[in-house]
């Protein structure tokens, strides 16, 4: 994050709330909790929180914990009533925390939630109330090696048939045509969702022909040798490493990979929407990103200050600054349109975000069990232990079991 952000925020005022009363002026500092433990990311967000704090007259004391530790810590804080004033949550976790009664609806502070993409607003909503807003978001797209495609005479695939054909033609000794993360975690589920959802599959009912067809596509890519069986163990970082090293011609990944790709001046890459079952369809991709929330607190004054900082984080100026820094997409489509003109490499992601879906939008707090069933099915089918139909039938049984 550069000092430019602080100047932009100071110039805009960056508020977005209604007046909060004289009681708020007695609060000089608030606390914030997130999982940005990476040194540069912690510093970047720290500068943004500091800048927004200055616009509303408070010092923001930021604490970051490892990703895996955040929810256990928050649940412990719920029990001990020691929640921070401002809390960042990964968007699939909002439902779980809101269900405990630990969060406050943002409308009671006058926070402006207008102009957000539907899927993004849904990610911070629980039982019809908006509890969290995300300044910037991400999703998945298809990265491809321009030189490899040109040499093979392959066009960027737009649909599943073209994807299979392109992956086969691009495969040769020492190189696969396509790579995904199919590991046994929610990350593997996340990567499968564009194929499931774009084909009309649904997490509420996993044992459908539409779901089986999507999983069969991945099975076919592995069986044909166009995709390594090692995808069963690869993380998204591993997939990136394979692509950067020239060991795969195409990969499914997120925009957070762009800074590293840009550092390799010999790597000529492009990015396109995730291929869909039939040309002309719009890919339905999962929404990634974190939302900021205001927890319950004995101090209304602290809540109001936290809400004003949250509103500042979600101001158009902040969105644009954060998106440029992190290679993410501003959550308001109007801001995203301006952003794409300045950062063309993000165009495919911005188009996909407009139609993206929240992972908890259908199942709410039941989503994690379905997500687990999905990645178990992926593992079983790609390993050849079960057909896609069998694997997804077991996934449905698991997802709906007590």
């Amino acid at each position: 994050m550069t000092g430019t952000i602080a100047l932009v925020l100071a110039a805009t005022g960056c508020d977005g709330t209604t007046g909060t009363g004289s009681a708020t002026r007695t609060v000089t500092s608030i606390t914030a909790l997130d999982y940005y433990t990476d040194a540069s990311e912690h510093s970047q967000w720290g500068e943004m929180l500091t800048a927004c704090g200055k616009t509303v007259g408070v010092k923001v004391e930021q604490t970051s914990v490892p990703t895996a530790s955040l929810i256990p810590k928050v649940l412990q804080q719920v029990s001990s009533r020691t929640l921070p004033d401002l809390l960042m949550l990964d968007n699939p976790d909002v439902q779980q925390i809101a269900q405990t009664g630990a969060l406050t609806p943002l409308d009671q502070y006058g926070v402006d939630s207008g102009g957000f993409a539907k899927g993004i607003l849904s990610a911070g909503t629980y039982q019809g109330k908006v509890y969290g807003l995300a300044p910037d978001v991400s999703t998945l797209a298809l990265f491809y090696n321009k030189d490899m495609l040109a040499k093979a005479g392959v066009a960027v695939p737009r649909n599943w048939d073209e994807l299979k054909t392109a992956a086969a033609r691009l495969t040769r000794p020492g190189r696969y045509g396509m790579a995904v993360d199919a590991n046994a975690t929610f990350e593997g589920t996340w990567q499968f969702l564009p194929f499931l959802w774009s084909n009309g599959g649904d997490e509420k009912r996993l044992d459908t022909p539409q779901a089986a067809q999507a999983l069969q596509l991945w099975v076919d890519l592995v069986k044909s040798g166009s995709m390594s069986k090692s995808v069963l163990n690869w993380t998204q970082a591993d997939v990136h490493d394979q692509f950067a090293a020239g060991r795969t011609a195409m990969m499914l990944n997120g925009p957070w990979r762009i800074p590293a790709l840009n550092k390799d001046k010999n790597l000529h890459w492009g990015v396109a929407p995730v291929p869909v079952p039939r040309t002309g369809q719009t890919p339905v991709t999962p929404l990634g990103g974190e939302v900021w929330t205001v927890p319950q607190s004995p101090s209304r004054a602290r809540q109001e200050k936290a809400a004003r900082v949250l509103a500042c984080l979600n101001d158009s100026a902040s969105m644009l600054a954060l998106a440029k820094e992190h290679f993410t997409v501003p959550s308001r489509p109007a801001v995203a349109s301006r952003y794409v003109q300045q950062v063309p490499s993000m165009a495919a992601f911005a188009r996909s975000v407009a139609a993206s879906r929240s992972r908890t939008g259908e199942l709410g707090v039941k989503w994690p069990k379905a997500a687990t069933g999905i990645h178990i099915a992926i593992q079983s089918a790609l390993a050849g232990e079960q057909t896609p139909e069998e694997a997804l039938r077991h996934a449905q049984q698991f997802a709906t079991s007590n």
Side-chain angles (χ1 to χ4, degrees):
M1 189 74 68
T2 66
T4 306
I5 287 178
L7 293 174
V8 169
L9 300 185
T12 60
C14 195
D15 192 330
T17 65
T18 56
T20 53
S22 59
T24 331
R25 289 195 293 271
T26 63
V27 177
T28 58
S29 68
I30 62 170
T31 57
L33 177 65
D34 58 47
Y35 57 42
Y36 303 122
T37 53
D38 174 79
S40 62
E41 209 171 26
H42 178 83
S43 176
Q44 289 165 359
W45 276 99
E47 288 183 26
M48 177 60 82
L49 288 166
T50 296
C52 281
K54 284 181 179 178
T55 69
V56 299
V58 290
K59 178 182 179 182
V60 182
E61 300 171 356
Q62 178 196 21
T63 300
S64 300
V65 298
T67 303
S69 302
L70 182 67
I71 295 304
K73 182 176 182 66
V74 170
L75 291 174
Q76 185 276 323
Q77 290 175 328
V78 171
S79 298
S80 60
R81 298 185 179 182
T82 56
L83 284 160
D85 301 305
L86 194 59
L87 172 64
M88 184 281 300
L89 293 169
D90 194 13
N91 77 75
D93 296 326
V94 173
Q95 300 270 334
Q96 178 188 1
I97 303 305
Q99 186 186 42
T100 69
L103 306 179
T104 59
L106 298 180
D107 61 356
Q108 69 184 48
Y109 308 109
V111 175
D112 179 16
S113 60
F116 282 76
K118 182 180 177 181
I120 295 170
L121 199 58
S122 171
T125 300
Y126 175 69
Q127 293 186 344
K129 291 281 188 180
V130 177
Y131 287 89
L133 290 175
D136 57 333
V137 292
S138 63
T139 191
L140 292 164
L142 181 76
F143 287 84
Y144 56 92
N145 185 302
K146 290 182 176 181
D147 295 337
M148 291 179 184
L149 267 67
K151 189 173 182 179
V154 172
V156 178
R158 297 165 298 169
N159 61 46
W160 289 4
D161 286 341
E162 291 177 357
L163 176 63
K164 288 198 289 186
T165 299
R169 289 178 59 184
L170 290 162
T171 298
R172 58 197 57 195
R175 185 180 84 197
Y176 290 94
M178 179 66 179
V180 300
D181 166 355
N183 71 21
T185 69
F186 287 174
E187 202 172 85
T189 298
W190 153 267
Q191 287 236 326
F192 180 65
L193 288 176
F195 301 91
L196 173 69
W197 286 346
S198 297
N199 199 43
D202 196 301
E203 59 270 33
K204 291 184 296 185
R205 191 76 201 182
L206 296 172
D207 54 346
T208 64
Q210 292 86 352
Q213 289 162 5
L215 187 50
Q216 187 66 55
L217 172 67
W218 279 22
V219 170
D220 290 345
L221 287 167
V222 171
K223 276 189 174 181
S224 68
S226 298
M227 194 158 73
S228 172
K229 198 170 183 177
S230 296
V231 299
L232 286 166
N233 301 309
W234 285 348
T235 65
Q236 291 182 125
D238 294 330
V239 171
H240 169 268
D241 291 344
Q242 294 292 317
F243 183 78
R247 291 191 289 269
T248 184
M250 299 181 292
M251 70 167 176
L252 198 68
N253 227 314
W256 52 86
R257 299 295 165 193
I258 291 178
L261 294 175
N262 281 340
K263 290 179 182 177
D264 187 347
K265 301 306 178 185
N266 296 317
L267 181 62
H268 304 128
W269 56 273
V271 62
V274 179
V276 290
R278 292 167 296 283
T279 301
Q281 292 179 302
T282 299
V284 184
T285 58
L287 183 71
E290 297 82 23
V291 303
W292 290 87
T293 67
V294 177
Q296 293 283 0
S297 164
S299 171
R300 173 72 182 189
R302 295 181 72 88
Q303 288 177 314
E304 289 175 340
K305 283 290 192 181
R308 291 178 65 192
V309 172
L310 182 152
C312 174
L313 293 175
N314 284 277
D315 179 272
S316 295
S318 301
M319 284 184 178
L320 198 56
L322 287 165
K324 286 181 178 179
E325 185 70 36
H326 300 140
F327 282 90
T328 46
V329 180
S331 295
R332 286 186 169 94
V335 183
S337 296
R338 299 204 308 270
Y339 170 63
V340 168
Q341 292 174 1
Q342 299 171 35
V343 190
S345 62
M346 290 297 296
F349 291 103
R351 289 199 303 272
S352 295
V353 159
S356 62
R357 276 179 51 187
S358 162
R359 282 160 281 175
T360 53
E362 294 284 346
L363 293 177
V365 294
K366 295 180 180 179
W367 161 248
K369 199 162 187 181
T372 301
I374 290 170
H375 69 65
I376 290 173
I378 292 169
Q379 290 273 307
S380 179
L382 266 60
E385 297 167 356
Q386 294 178 310
T387 66
E389 290 81 4
E390 292 169 339
L392 288 164
R393 189 162 57 247
H394 285 103
Q396 177 65 17
Q397 292 171 353
F398 176 86
T400 55
S401 63
N402 294 324

